[in-house]
Amino acid sequence: MTKYDVLTIGNAIVDIIARCDDSFLVENGIIKGAMNLINADRAELLYSRMGPAVEASGGSAGNTAAGVASLGGRAAYFGKIASDQLGDIFTHDIRAQGVYFQTKPLQSLPPTARSMIFVTEDGERSMNTYLGACVELGPEDVEEDVVAQSKVTYFEGYLWDPPRAKDAIRAAARIAHANGREMAMTLSDSFCVHRYRDEFLDLMRSGTVDIVFANRQEALALYETEDFDLALKALAKDCKLAAVTLSEEGSVVIRGDERVRVRANAIEQVVDTTGAGDLYAAGFLHGYTSGRSLEVCSKLGNLSAGIVIGQIGPRPMISLATAAKEAGLV
């Protein structure tokens, strides 16, 4: 028996979300639709220029853990915060979702990470992230018993930015595989893929990672091609299982020669795409660790992503378990 269905590891970040128009992005040198890493001074500058904002605990893998818990799954999370106000907010929010979180906070600088997220009228989000305490996540934060008792350990590609986190992920992979568990990762962002393409491919080809999540742009970036079918074939060769989201076209799952395509759910209005990929992974992994078919896993992913993009913020404000029951998926 396992204690947890999904353990996620990521950058523990508090999101500060505000609306803006495209001209604001241009005037402030912000790359639209990307995650831009910034320093403390840049963080202060952008914060001073933001309009009215909403604070919400985020971080890619933290959002996935919250989604798994909302679906009724047993979730755990590793991520580094500082002992400060934003750290307290992050801790409260993730535990309130029902996620196990006991990573020891830093007692000194740097402070808890924060991401200034600007949402344009089309719902696209542009993230500007100061990693702060996240860079201190290391192997000492890997709780061996939690990894050993988790069916799947999932981490975000963004963790390849803070250097010590790589050692933590490799330590977690050794523990997971020694206990017959699986490792999953999300490619996170096409810019992230460009930074770490060779390392990501090595994680997959070496068997360190079993399951990969990506969107279309990230899959193309990984193989430096404009041919999506070629990228899918390469993914099928390089990892045990891959799930690729296709925005309004839904998603496709690849396992060996098997391909499963599922249409996207109808969305009344796209409010904020923050967390869409994170919640797709949550739905998929909840289905996967519950023994569902790949089609149902994909439908749970699409449902969860569809719900979160209809609201402000990256964590579900309604029970995903209830929504899944109403949709006949559980």
Side-chain angles (χ1 to χ4, degrees):
M1 294 292 291
T2 54
K3 189 172 183 180
Y4 304 103
D5 298 313
V6 182
L7 160 66
T8 73
I9 309 176
N11 289 325
I13 298 169
V14 175
D15 293 334
I16 304 170
I17 307 167
R19 292 193 168 279
C20 74
D21 55 26
D22 286 320
S23 64
F24 179 90
L25 301 183
V26 174
E27 290 166 7
N28 288 279
I30 297 168
I31 301 172
K32 185 173 181 177
M35 192 283 283
N36 309 277
L37 286 176
I38 59 176
N39 60 25
D41 290 341
R42 173 79 168 157
E44 289 295 330
L45 175 66
L46 290 179
Y47 185 70
S48 72
R49 294 179 178 177
M50 290 184 95
V54 173
E55 288 185 356
S57 295
S60 176
N63 298 336
T64 298
V68 170
S70 183
L71 283 157
R74 302 166 301 164
Y77 177 73
F78 298 162
K80 202 72 169 177
I81 57 169
S83 185
D84 56 21
Q85 183 181 3
L86 289 184
D88 290 344
I89 289 172
F90 185 93
T91 299
H92 169 270
D93 288 354
I94 199 162
R95 289 178 181 170
Q97 291 273 0
V99 177
Y100 168 89
F101 173 58
Q102 292 293 336
T103 306
K104 292 180 180 178
L106 287 177
Q107 298 301 317
S108 59
L109 295 175
T112 297
R114 70 287 313 265
S115 182
M116 270 64 71
I117 301 179
F118 297 94
V119 182
T120 42
E121 291 180 3
D122 57 2
E124 186 62 83
R125 82 285 184 270
S126 305
M127 299 178 287
N128 302 268
T129 304
Y130 169 56
L131 289 176
C134 290
V135 300
E136 300 301 325
L137 181 75
E140 68 277 7
D141 295 306
V142 174
E143 298 168 55
E144 184 171 350
D145 60 329
V146 176
V147 179
Q149 295 183 73
S150 298
K151 292 178 183 177
V152 174
T153 293
Y154 165 97
F155 67 95
E156 56 189 78
Y158 289 136
L159 278 179
W160 247 242
D161 287 314
R164 296 183 68 243
K166 298 180 183 183
D167 295 331
I169 294 304
R170 292 192 173 99
R174 287 192 293 271
I175 297 165
H177 289 140
N179 286 275
R181 314 301 184 197
E182 291 180 298
M183 289 292 294
M185 76 171 293
T186 172
L187 297 184
S188 291
D189 177 304
S190 57
F191 292 89
C192 186
V193 173
H194 286 305
R195 290 195 294 275
Y196 303 111
R197 178 184 297 108
D198 292 342
E199 290 177 75
F200 285 177
L201 286 170
D202 181 65
L203 287 170
M204 295 158 58
R205 292 168 178 169
S206 67
T208 303
V209 167
D210 306 291
I211 305 167
V212 173
F213 290 87
N215 63 27
R216 188 198 301 267
Q217 292 72 28
E218 292 156 6
L220 294 173
L222 185 65
Y223 294 104
E224 297 183 285
T225 181
E226 294 300 318
D227 186 332
F228 185 56
D229 194 55
L230 186 152
L232 291 183
K233 289 177 180 176
L235 272 172
K237 180 181 177 182
D238 285 342
C239 60
K240 175 181 173 182
L241 175 66
V244 183
T245 56
L246 308 171
S247 299
E248 66 276 2
E249 294 176 34
S251 58
V252 57
V253 181
I254 310 103
R255 182 168 59 188
D257 294 330
E258 183 181 6
R259 290 193 187 184
V260 177
R261 284 186 177 267
V262 174
R263 292 179 182 177
N265 291 38
I267 308 297
E268 288 186 15
Q269 181 184 9
V270 176
V271 176
D272 174 12
T273 58
T274 309
D278 308 332
L279 270 293
Y280 175 87
F284 188 96
L285 288 171
H286 177 65
Y288 184 75
T289 56
S290 301
R292 310 284 178 176
S293 68
L294 293 183
E295 181 179 6
V296 171
C297 291
S298 299
K299 287 181 176 178
L300 283 166
N302 287 348
L303 174 74
S304 302
I307 288 171
V308 84
I309 66 175
Q311 63 171 52
I312 287 285
R315 298 196 179 171
M317 296 178 182
I318 65 169
S319 166
L320 294 182
T322 299
K325 286 177 184 175
E326 291 174 352
L329 295 176
V330 295

